[in-house]
Amino acid sequence: MASNVAHGQQVIGHAEEEHTTPQEYVRVAIVLAIITAIEVFIYYLPSARPLLVPALIILSLAKFAAVVGYFMHLKFDNRLFQFMFIAGLVVSLSVFLAFLAMFWYSTSYMPLT
Amino acid sequence: MATAITVETAHGEGQGIHEGHGHAGHPPPSAGVDSRKLLMWLFLTSDTMFFGTLIATYMMYRDRSIQLLTPPYPNDIFDIPYTSVSAFVLLMSSLTMVLALASIQRGNYRGLRIWLAATALLGGIFVGGQVFEFTTFAHEGLTLSSNVFGSSFYVLTGFHGAHVTIGVLWLVALLVVSLRGGLPKEKAMSVEIAGLYWHFVDIVWIIIFTFVYLVPYPNPVKEATEAAPAAFLHLVSLGQQMLAALPF
Amino acid sequence: MSRFWPRRKDDHMPSRSGRWARVAPLLALVVVVTLLAGCGPEVNQPYSTISPQNPKTDDIQRLYQIIFWASLVVFVGVQLAIVYVVLRFRRRSDERPAQVHGSRTLEIAWTVIPAVILILLFIPTARVVFDHAAAAQSDEGFHVNVIAKQWWWEITYPNIPASESDPSKGPLVTANEMLVPVGSDVIVSLEGNNVMHSFWVPQLSGKLDVMPGHVNRLHFEAARVGDYFGECAEYCGAAHAWMRFKVKIVPQEEFDAWVAAWRTPPADQNPDTPDVVDVPTAFGACLACHRVNGTTAQVAGQGMTAISGYRDADGKIVPGPGPNLTLVGCRDTIAAGLLKNTPENMETWLKHTDEVKEGVYMPNYYKQGLTDEQVTEIVNYLEGLKPAEGCPGAGLPVGSEVDPASVGVIPPGAVATPVP
Amino acid sequence: MASIAQPRIEAPVITAPPVEGTGLWSWLTTIDHKRIAKLYGVTSFILFLVGGLEALLIRIQLARPQNDVVTAQRYNELFTMHGTTMIFLVLMPLTVAFFNLLVPLQIGARDVAFPRLNAFSYWTFLLGALMLNIPILFALPSIFAGMAETALLNLFGSTALGGLQATLDKLPFANAVPDQGWYGYAPLTERLFSGHQIDFWAFGLQLLGIASMVGAFNFIVTIINMRAPGMTMMRMPIFCWSTLVTAVLIIMAFPSITIALFFLTFDRYGGTHFFNAFNIADGTLVSSGGDPMLWQHLFWIFGHPEVYIMILPAFGIVSEIIPIFSRKPLFGYAVMVYALAAIAFLGFGVWAHHMFTTGLAATPVAAFAATSMLIAIPTGVKIFNWTGTMWGGSLTFPTAMLFAVGLVSQFVIGGLSGVMHAVVPIDTHQNDSYFVIAHFHYVLFGGTLFALFGAMYFWWPKIYGKLLDERLGKLHFWLTFIGFNLTFFPMHFLGLAGMPRRYHSYSFESGWWFWNAVETIGALIIGAAVLVFLLNILRTAQEKQDVPANPWDAATLEWATPSPPPVYNFRIIPQVTHRDQLWHDKYDRILEAQGRPDAAADAIIEIDQLPQSSPVGVAVAEEQAELGNIHMPNPSFYPLVAAIGLFLLPVGMVLNNPHIPLGSFIGLPVITAIGILVLLTGIFGWSFEPAD
């Protein structure tokens, strides 16, 4: 169809699914399992306490990225989806970080004594 | 409830490019993507705000019950090994889900059914585990109304559980359709969309597992007053000082 | 001038009179509104936000003047531009006008210029915000705690004990009228145990909400002697409009006299019990909710743990403690600013409580069997709750009648010290 | 419910273009975006009349000091319902009506991406509106009876109606009208301080939220995926851009209030304390750990984008109307698009400016003051660009254009007072005062409603195939304009004079009586204006008119279809080459034919890519239509079924109310169970019903 060419976009069929094979899915899943194990392990490690929170944040974000990128195909999928989802995440994260900052910064909370 | 409707009603609509609605009047999708898949991604984008609100509320109330000295406290309630297994189960269900998708895309219907069933089963185990967890916690005195920890914990994990439950029902429905022969290779998109939903539910749990269960809580009494993030306060006061230093 | 006026080009355009006929309604509206604004009655506006009475409201007024004039310039500019365009570019021929798609220069100009104006506006804004916030966090100054109820204000002086000899009696408590000595830096701690309210005395300060679970602090300077009108500014239920109060800024000696009078027990109503001061028997029904200092009326709850009223699980209303009635005879108004404090109004209030102030949590005991004589007894008792030598702080000028131009900075050293 | 399932009739090869069905059934099952637009429009216009009536009652009560036309309780109900109705049931759905009508037409599509989902949106909206409005509809008779009683008593000393109000007060629902204000600040909405009326509000809003979100998903997919060939994003009519941005705002903003309303429901029925700092336990007050600030944050994280959800479509409408009657393209199209996106993005970063007086710390307050000022920049850019569009144009002023220019002029006032609110110290005076009322009425009435009236005059041919009367239209505009300014401009003065909002009464000594009296006169003038508009609608409906496809010489694709458009919109899907396609076809082609060099870029145009409006295009279209391959999706009953099921879920909880006879008897579980059953029937029927 000439109109598609004029659009500069092609209708994509199943081509992108070939990026990842079941073997790779299993490999990703093993990595995810290992990360989870590490998370739980360092949770019980007293010496890891000072670095526990940043480590947990990084590890969970890695898991998040792996599932979204590989299992949900976002890494290979249409850029529209990437843009949408990442923009949504950015808005949501910034709104709620600001929201939490206001509560954590608030000094006026006072329970009944 | 919005969740259930949007997801389910998306079913079987739109100009799915695989579905052979080659009417001359219908131009191809102008963004080159499947409309239903686009709908699902939009829904998930919106759901980031949905769970963002729930998680942010939990984070805000996270330490408050400890500050107020209203037990039960998270430290006494949570059973990390148990929940780790739950989290692992849900994580692995994402693998089986993606294998189900890979199967239907290759026309392997037997594989599709096996993996769909496995995913639904793992999801079911997760929900069952959650029900068991809730009853145990309730036994230990943590209820919706016992303190704000209870309120925000149950509502957050409950909404997630409801998402998983809907997902399980959806997978079972797909399985039934597939067994009746209604899910040919051309309809792989139906599985892909269900998969997107399922994986999203999984990543929400990744966040919940970390921030609700693993990130440590202050000790009642001793650390109660040290909960505010000092580094952040410092940063804020820095901005304040900079503003005060302006010459006018 | 003529360049800016549309010129007759051909016969297609409407005649000048026709054009005027179209603009006439607009002009008429402008004229009417201007006339109304100019000829509006000279009324006393005790809640006016633009007659500042202390340095704090002066700060706000200065900001307001900046933005008012800036806005006026923008407003007049844009409206003139629209009127000019509408008159100048009316269709005169069927010829298509030049198809202009945009202008990069203009777009940049009208993005950057407002941005610069806004930055210039932001800097003084932020400075005032931080200054006012810092002032409210100070531990110095004259502290007053205010607990907002549905629908009245409980006012506590945390540093002024109710009794000089017995500290266990707690602080001095009054309702709906806050007396403060002139020259003090007043720091109000706002607390609430029911719904949200907002504390607002427009001539002394901007508003600050009463947020249950939080203590919000508000600072203002008691710069000039006078009566300042305050009101609740956050919707709080049925009687939201009738939740008014006053801040009375009085000379230090009058304030001291008021504290002394507050601590002096009223005349005894029952000669049979010389060791305690009894309230009249008719007042007995009121004891559950009201206190009168120095008398047996001491059982009602007050402070943060006392809630003025709520609904129980079945949705029934449970009334709670009401205002402390010590020196009630000296108050200008009753029912939180709804009625002038006269014996007749007090009687009306007691006999028609919920009709006078819809939604009020105070039960109407007259309807439940109090006799006319008993009501009269209560009215006489309450109106008599004032010092024999007259009320301190009476007859002050209303705040808005003070010349705003004379508001100055508080002289150093004028800060009042609380009565020991 | 099994009888609902209808056997599928195999459609024979269609030989004629599809036509619309008639009768009630066809409306209940319609999935045609134009019909749904009509349903949205008519429903929200009726609700506009109800909300306007409430506004008039409010103004009559405030006409003089210590007035007693209505009681404080009724007054609180009136302003709550006025606000909620105008925001959620008038401005939003009326813009959705235009989304529905215009988006598919403007992008050259035959319908939206998910037609049945679209119908579901409407039915859910209708039932949500019903849930919100049932109580006030039962309460209005009592209010009017009370007014009549007082009037008779004062004028004739007669008590002929004695006791009527008291009788009408006993109607079911009459004492369950939401009365907590449109933003329902906790803890006033909690069980400790309010009765069952909050449930109607909370569940009504939940349903409306679902309707809005489902609609928004649909429009985003439609705009992204259903554009005609050649219609790139930057060739899209600006109204479609505003729809897209609005829809994105809806899907990102509504989850927050959905959760907040769930929290509220859990607080009221589940024993949680999300928004309640204190709790009564065994008769004493104890800290519960909850925080009323949470409600405000969650509400305004939704609430501020909501403001843009209401105003951005209006910007889109005005950006369509002004170029047409200036005979010039929109000035700075790309900048207008970026400004829309910038407003939407910044719109998520300003919510706390509604909370400047709640006791936030100074740093966040300063930060939100900065973002709130920032958002004025893209808004200002739009005002300037509209003026730039008119500059050098060839202006005519039919009613649509009058309303559009009216918006440009009136919105400036609302915008400037908005900047004043960003200056926090001033806001501590103006917040919750009549100054704020003036501000947002200048934005929502002088802005959105003006645009919507303009849109009605402009697009009436595409709705009903007729043009509204211009004489009455101009009368309507000037009455609205004068009444509006007379009502709302003095509110600035009242705000400065310290009058807080939501006061059911005020004393003479406050000095507020004069402007209040003036405002009431203004409100009556607005009422007269609405009557003129109604008269205009009725007169137009009786007239026989033959309106051409493009009566205004407009530029976008909807004007390439007949007035009103056929069910399939376009016989062939047009091929788009330019932003203002119809102007290009009409004017620029002549220039191209004359050998203008700048036309070389698109000189090669295939015949089958011609838009339908061009002479060749029409011929091709007719040829193709004869081939009979226009295929429209089937009407469906299931969206309505699903919506009813969804509606029934909370009905049990709402009815479980001592003010409603039989309410607690029927009880919650039975109705909820029926609801689940109906909902599942709807979903499964829908899923297995063939789409077309």
Side-chain angles (χ1 to χ4, degrees):
Chain A
M1 274 183 147
S3 60
N4 274 337
V5 182
H7 251 250
Q9 276 156 340
Q10 264 298 355
V11 177
I12 299 158
H14 293 299
E16 87 270 21
E17 275 102 23
E18 304 306 326
H19 282 292
T20 322
T21 59
Q23 288 74 28
E24 275 178 87
Y25 288 140
V26 174
R27 247 174 274 148
V28 173
I30 291 170
V31 171
L32 286 171
I34 291 171
I35 296 178
T36 310
I38 295 175
E39 281 186 327
V40 179
F41 179 70
I42 59 172
Y43 174 82
Y44 284 107
L45 210 62
S47 58
R49 272 279 143 143
L51 284 174
L52 180 60
V53 175
L56 284 175
I57 291 174
I58 291 166
L59 289 173
S60 65
L61 288 186
K63 280 161 74 180
F64 186 101
V67 175
V68 175
Y70 291 92
F71 288 175
M72 293 170 89
H73 270 288
L74 200 62
K75 195 161 173 250
F76 316 105
D77 215 331
N78 197 299
R79 292 179 62 142
L80 178 68
F81 296 145
Q82 294 173 7
F83 170 77
M84 255 167 39
F85 191 66
I86 290 169
L89 272 182
V90 167
V91 168
S92 166
L93 262 179
S94 14
V95 164
F96 289 111
L97 283 179
F99 161 92
L100 282 174
M102 271 184 273
F103 276 104
W104 288 338
Y105 189 46
S106 161
T107 48
S108 65
Y109 178 73
M110 200 148 306
L112 202 63
T113 44
Chain B
M1 241 29 242
T3 320
I5 295 310
T6 322
V7 172
E8 294 291 318
T9 50
H11 215 58
E13 274 212 18
Q15 278 76 39
I17 47 172
H18 311 293
E19 297 182 14
H21 297 161
H23 306 300
H26 287 183
S30 37
V33 293
D34 184 272
S35 282
R36 290 185 299 145
K37 191 169 163 188
L38 179 57
L39 182 76
M40 178 47 74
W41 270 111
L42 282 169
F43 170 74
L44 298 182
T45 307
S46 162
D47 232 22
T48 58
M49 283 297 279
F50 190 90
F51 279 107
T53 313
L54 283 164
I55 294 171
T57 303
Y58 183 84
M59 294 307 279
M60 165 207 162
Y61 281 141
R62 207 170 181 276
D63 299 342
R64 193 165 275 185
S65 296
I66 301 168
Q67 288 166 0
L68 281 176
L69 300 177
T70 46
Y73 306 119
N75 280 344
D76 308 334
I77 288 285
F78 287 151
D79 180 354
I80 299 296
Y82 178 87
T83 313
S84 306
V85 173
S86 266
F88 180 76
V89 165
L90 198 62
L91 206 56
M92 287 308 112
S93 78
S94 255
L95 173 65
T96 54
M97 184 70 232
V98 87
L99 291 175
L101 177 62
S103 302
I104 189 173
Q105 282 169 350
R106 286 169 175 72
N108 176 1
Y109 299 124
R110 192 165 164 273
L112 167 72
R113 284 161 204 162
I114 290 172
W115 292 123
L116 272 183
T119 313
L121 187 70
L122 288 171
I125 291 173
F126 177 84
V127 175
Q130 200 171 35
V131 171
F132 179 73
E133 191 186 37
F134 281 10
T135 36
T136 319
F137 289 180
H139 235 64
E140 291 174 42
L142 187 76
T143 62
L144 258 182
S145 54
S146 57
N147 56 15
V148 278
F149 161 60
S151 306
S152 47
F153 171 79
Y154 279 123
V155 173
L156 166 61
T157 51
F159 267 107
H160 179 265
H163 269 69
V164 179
T165 311
I166 289 165
V168 170
L169 291 177
W170 191 352
L171 292 172
V172 169
L174 280 179
L175 185 61
V176 171
V177 172
S178 167
L179 286 170
R180 293 166 131 223
L183 212 53
K185 190 181 171 189
E186 294 71 36
K187 286 196 174 176
M189 188 53 78
S190 296
V191 180
E192 188 173 344
I193 289 166
L196 287 177
Y197 176 82
W198 190 258
H199 298 309
F200 183 79
V201 168
D202 183 28
I203 59 174
V204 170
W205 189 255
I206 289 176
I207 302 296
I208 291 178
F209 179 59
T210 307
F211 288 92
V212 174
Y213 288 88
L214 290 185
V215 170
Y217 291 81
N219 232 334
V221 189
K222 202 181 111 232
E223 289 174 45
T225 49
E226 299 163 19
F232 177 76
L233 291 185
H234 178 72
L235 214 66
V236 169
S237 68
L238 211 65
Q240 211 165 323
Q241 284 161 18
M242 277 163 67
L243 200 89
L246 285 174
F248 42 89
Chain C
M1 270 317 280
S2 63
R3 275 184 61 93
F4 291 96
W5 204 248
R7 272 172 296 180
R8 194 176 286 232
K9 228 173 156 189
D10 52 54
D11 291 334
H12 286 291
M13 67 182 291
S15 69
R16 182 156 291 188
S17 63
R19 208 183 317 132
W20 274 110
R22 288 164 204 238
V23 189
L26 182 67
L27 287 176
L29 179 72
V30 171
V31 170
V32 166
V33 171
T34 320
L35 278 178
L36 285 175
C39 306
E42 277 294 317
V43 287
N44 180 29
Q45 296 192 321
Y47 297 102
S48 172
T49 62
I50 46 174
S51 61
Q53 294 294 337
N54 64 12
K56 182 179 188 187
T57 37
D58 236 19
D59 284 348
I60 303 177
Q61 179 78 345
R62 261 195 300 279
L63 281 174
Y64 182 67
Q65 277 163 350
I66 297 172
I67 192 160
F68 176 78
W69 291 111
S71 299
L72 197 69
V73 169
V74 175
F75 170 71
V76 170
V78 174
Q79 301 297 345
L80 281 182
I82 293 171
V83 170
Y84 172 73
V85 166
V86 164
L87 294 176
R88 168 71 180 78
F89 297 108
R90 284 184 166 272
R91 182 169 298 181
R92 301 196 178 82
S93 70
D94 280 342
E95 199 183 323
R96 257 183 125 212
Q99 300 291 294
V100 181
H101 286 269
S103 153
R104 181 171 298 222
T105 324
L106 277 176
E107 301 285 2
I108 291 173
W110 61 45
T111 309
V112 171
I113 294 170
V116 171
I117 295 175
L118 288 171
I119 289 171
L120 291 179
L121 198 61
F122 175 71
I123 292 165
T125 303
R127 294 185 72 87
V128 174
V129 166
F130 282 114
D131 286 353
H132 286 184
Q137 292 311 318
S138 163
D139 286 332
E140 309 286 311
F142 186 85
H143 281 258
V144 184
N145 291 353
V146 170
I147 302 172
K149 309 281 182 139
Q150 271 178 321
W151 291 267
W152 56 281
W153 305 83
E154 184 169 280
I155 292 153
T156 315
Y157 296 83
N159 298 332
I160 305 179
S163 159
E164 273 178 293
S165 49
D166 183 2
S168 72
K169 293 249 163 88
L172 192 151
V173 178
T174 184
N176 298 331
E177 281 178 21
M178 178 198 292
L179 266 78
V180 289
V182 70
S184 51
D185 261 327
V186 183
I187 292 179
V188 183
S189 295
L190 296 165
E191 294 180 70
N193 56 15
N194 45 88
V195 304
M196 273 185 73
H197 303 272
S198 192
F199 179 93
W200 192 23
V201 193
Q203 292 178 331
L204 298 179
S205 163
K207 62 177 75 67
L208 186 63
D209 292 350
V210 179
M211 182 71 65
H214 292 260
V215 179
N216 284 341
R217 305 218 324 181
L218 178 82
H219 160 259
F220 64 83
E221 300 93 341
R224 301 185 61 84
V225 167
D227 254 10
Y228 299 91
F229 285 46
E231 50 190 342
C232 176
E234 183 61 74
Y235 176 60
C236 53
H240 169 48
W242 302 129
M243 188 174 164
R244 308 195 287 175
F245 61 99
K246 269 188 182 181
V247 172
K248 294 180 147 200
I249 299 180
V250 297
Q252 181 71 49
E253 55 279 9
E254 294 228 15
F255 184 76
D256 295 345
W258 179 72
V259 173
W262 196 92
R263 287 169 175 167
T264 311
D268 199 347
Q269 301 285 327
N270 186 357
D272 300 339
T273 52
D275 50 331
V276 287
V277 180
D278 262 357
V279 293
T281 42
F283 194 72
C286 315
L287 289 180
C289 298
H290 294 285
R291 287 188 180 210
V292 180
N293 191 48
T295 71
T296 48
Q298 295 292 345
V299 292
Q302 59 181 20
M304 267 301 280
T305 48
I307 185 167
S308 51
Y310 61 95
R311 281 166 192 271
D312 64 11
D314 302 325
K316 288 217 181 62
I317 286 172
V318 183
N324 186 313
L325 294 177
T326 314
L327 289 189
V328 71
C330 278
R331 293 188 193 150
D332 293 346
T333 61
I334 53 174
L338 174 56
L339 299 169
K340 282 217 163 56
N341 190 3
T342 63
E344 299 75 44
N345 279 343
M346 187 65 90
E347 190 181 332
T348 312
W349 174 237
L350 290 174
K351 288 185 174 176
H352 305 280
T353 318
D354 44 348
E355 292 150 47
V356 172
K357 186 169 175 174
E358 195 185 327
V360 68
Y361 283 120
M362 176 163 139
N364 186 337
Y365 285 125
Y366 181 68
K367 273 187 193 158
Q368 295 177 25
L370 225 55
T371 62
D372 283 331
E373 293 73 36
Q374 285 171 313
V375 169
T376 313
E377 195 184 352
I378 297 174
V379 170
N380 289 340
Y381 173 65
L382 292 176
E383 293 298 329
L385 286 176
K386 57 182 164 192
E389 59 274 21
C391 290
L396 297 170
V398 173
S400 59
E401 286 163 359
V402 180
D403 180 13
S406 66
V407 173
V409 182
I410 306 174
V415 175
T417 43
V419 184
Chain D
M1 300 310 275
S3 63
I4 289 165
Q6 293 161 331
R8 188 185 177 196
I9 301 159
E10 276 301 321
V13 177
I14 301 163
T15 51
V19 286
E20 196 116 34
T22 49
L24 179 67
W25 186 252
S26 76
W27 283 93
L28 290 178
T29 59
T30 187
I31 53 167
D32 174 15
H33 69 98
K34 296 175 291 296
R35 281 198 157 191
I36 291 170
K38 279 186 198 174
L39 288 171
Y40 262 114
V42 170
T43 313
S44 47
F45 192 77
I46 291 169
L47 287 160
F48 169 68
L49 298 179
V50 175
L53 196 66
E54 287 153 7
L56 275 179
L57 288 171
I58 289 173
R59 282 293 356 142
I60 289 168
Q61 162 71 8
L62 292 178
R64 58 184 188 134
Q66 312 237 0
N67 209 1
D68 57 354
V69 172
V70 292
T71 61
Q73 176 62 30
R74 287 289 182 221
Y75 182 85
N76 296 340
E77 293 165 2
L78 284 172
F79 74 67
T80 301
M81 289 312 296
H82 169 70
T84 312
T85 303
M86 287 303 188
I87 288 166
F88 293 101
L89 306 180
V90 177
L91 295 183
M92 279 183 74
L94 218 46
T95 55
V96 171
F98 283 101
F99 295 166
N100 262 300
L101 176 72
L102 295 175
V103 166
L105 287 169
Q106 287 197 331
I107 61 173
R110 294 224 162 98
D111 209 322
V112 294
F114 304 99
R116 288 183 293 178
L117 214 52
N118 204 17
F120 174 75
S121 288
Y122 170 72
W123 296 117
T124 312
F125 154 72
L126 179 69
L127 293 168
L130 205 65
M131 180 166 288
L132 262 174
N133 268 286
I134 278 177
I136 190 79
L137 294 178
F138 280 92
L140 281 173
S142 145
I143 293 173
F144 287 126
M147 287 169 73
E149 268 178 44
T150 320
L152 279 180
L153 194 68
N154 290 345
L155 294 177
F156 309 107
S158 153
T159 52
L161 288 174
L164 181 61
Q165 184 182 25
T167 317
L168 289 173
D169 257 339
K170 292 199 183 78
L171 283 176
F173 302 106
N175 292 310
V177 190
D179 63 350
Q180 77 297 345
W182 85 274
Y183 43 63
Y185 275 178
L188 188 59
T189 47
E190 298 278 357
R191 284 291 281 276
L192 280 180
F193 305 107
S194 63
H196 287 77
Q197 67 274 34
I198 309 299
D199 298 333
F200 287 93
W201 180 78
F203 289 116
L205 282 198
Q206 289 287 42
L207 290 173
L208 294 174
I210 292 169
S212 297
M213 285 186 47
V214 170
F217 288 130
N218 208 343
F219 283 111
I220 298 175
V221 177
T222 305
I223 290 170
I224 289 180
N225 236 6
M226 302 282 285
R227 282 166 289 136
M231 170 84 69
T232 58
M233 290 303 271
M234 291 311 269
R235 280 182 194 159
M236 220 162 51
I238 191 91
F239 180 76
C240 290
W241 265 110
S242 76
T243 308
L244 178 66
V245 172
T246 306
V248 169
L249 280 172
I250 288 175
I251 68 165
M252 294 304 281
F254 267 85
S256 165
I257 189 158
T258 305
I259 294 294
L261 288 168
F262 272 125
F263 285 165
L264 182 64
T265 307
F266 281 116
D267 269 11
R268 290 172 58 81
Y269 291 101
T272 62
H273 299 287
F274 283 105
F275 305 128
N276 226 359
F278 302 110
N279 180 33
I280 307 279
D282 305 327
T284 52
L285 193 73
V286 292
S287 274
S288 61
D291 200 328
M293 286 289 268
L294 176 65
W295 171 267
Q296 294 206 13
H297 278 290
L298 296 186
F299 188 87
W300 291 118
I301 286 174
F302 149 78
H304 200 82
E306 168 72 9
V307 174
Y308 296 106
I309 290 167
M310 285 184 281
I311 192 66
L312 293 186
F315 287 176
I317 288 167
V318 169
S319 305
E320 293 286 334
I321 292 177
I322 287 182
I324 303 308
F325 297 111
S326 306
R327 304 191 79 200
K328 266 181 76 205
L330 184 64
F331 195 86
Y333 171 91
V335 179
M336 291 296 252
V337 171
Y338 300 146
L340 279 175
I343 292 173
F345 184 74
L346 287 173
F348 279 100
V350 298
W351 79 88
H353 73 203
H354 296 266
M355 303 164 62
F356 281 157
T357 64
T358 56
L360 290 174
T363 310
V365 161
F368 277 95
T371 53
S372 307
M373 288 180 183
L374 212 58
I375 207 163
I377 297 171
T379 318
V381 163
K382 299 193 86 72
I383 299 276
F384 297 133
N385 273 305
W386 289 323
T387 317
T389 309
M390 289 192 281
W391 191 280
S394 171
L395 304 179
T396 45
F397 290 94
T399 313
M401 181 65 163
L402 285 178
F403 273 112
V405 178
L407 177 144
V408 180
S409 131
Q410 300 302 294
F411 188 82
V412 173
I413 301 174
L416 289 172
S417 53
V419 177
M420 288 187 186
H421 296 148
V423 182
V424 183
I426 304 176
D427 184 70
T428 61
H429 270 323
Q430 293 172 348
N431 183 39
D432 273 325
S433 78
Y434 264 76
F435 204 93
V436 165
I437 311 284
H439 161 71
F440 67 68
H441 280 94
Y442 267 90
V443 172
L444 296 180
F445 193 135
T448 311
L449 202 58
F450 270 39
L452 286 168
F453 277 134
M456 288 187 218
Y457 282 92
F458 190 61
W459 279 296
W460 207 258
K462 292 294 152 200
I463 310 172
Y464 292 110
K466 291 177 182 180
L467 282 164
L468 284 169
D469 186 76
E470 278 295 315
R471 255 171 189 288
L472 283 174
K474 280 177 182 151
L475 180 64
H476 173 209
F477 170 75
W478 284 112
L479 278 179
T480 309
F481 188 82
I482 291 168
F484 164 69
N485 276 292
L486 217 51
T487 310
F488 296 107
F489 205 82
M491 286 190 183
H492 292 108
F493 306 149
L494 280 180
L496 292 176
M499 182 169 174
R501 69 195 292 192
R502 298 172 171 183
Y503 269 22
H504 75 279
S505 188
Y506 52 93
S507 61
F508 182 80
E509 59 173 2
S510 59
W512 300 329
W513 55 272
F514 177 73
W515 289 117
N516 269 302
V518 172
E519 285 165 12
T520 304
I521 296 169
L524 292 171
I525 297 177
I526 298 176
V530 173
L531 289 181
V532 170
F533 184 55
L534 277 174
L535 181 70
N536 197 347
I537 293 176
L538 292 178
R539 266 186 54 171
T540 310
Q542 286 170 344
E543 274 176 27
K544 285 222 183 310
Q545 284 187 29
D546 201 14
V547 178
N550 190 357
W552 308 114
D553 187 20
T556 41
L557 285 181
E558 77 269 29
W559 302 102
T561 64
S563 306
V567 61
Y568 46 85
N569 293 353
F570 299 92
R571 285 183 172 170
I572 57 159
I573 299 300
Q575 171 78 32
V576 179
T577 56
H578 283 79
R579 195 176 291 152
D580 294 319
Q581 185 68 37
L582 303 197
W583 281 354
H584 173 78
D585 291 340
K586 190 168 166 186
Y587 300 107
D588 298 350
R589 264 167 206 283
I590 302 167
L591 301 177
E592 281 164 24
Q594 291 163 352
R596 284 267 300 269
D598 58 336
D602 46 31
I604 308 156
I605 295 166
E606 299 293 330
I607 270 190
D608 63 354
Q609 291 177 342
L610 282 179
Q612 190 193 15
S613 62
S614 69
V616 192
V618 171
V620 174
E622 271 162 7
E623 202 180 300
Q624 292 215 353
E626 275 180 6
L627 294 176
N629 53 15
I630 296 177
H631 185 89
M632 297 304 291
N634 293 328
S636 174
F637 178 58
Y638 290 110
L640 177 58
V641 175
I644 290 174
L646 198 63
F647 170 74
L648 286 177
L649 293 184
V651 160
M653 202 175 260
V654 171
L655 286 187
N656 198 348
N657 177 338
H659 292 296
I660 299 162
L662 291 183
S664 42
F665 176 72
I666 299 169
L668 168 149
V670 179
I671 297 181
T672 306
I674 296 174
I676 292 173
L677 217 67
V678 176
L679 181 62
L680 288 177
T681 312
I683 290 172
F684 277 96
W686 184 334
S687 301
F688 294 104
E689 181 186 47
D692 53 359

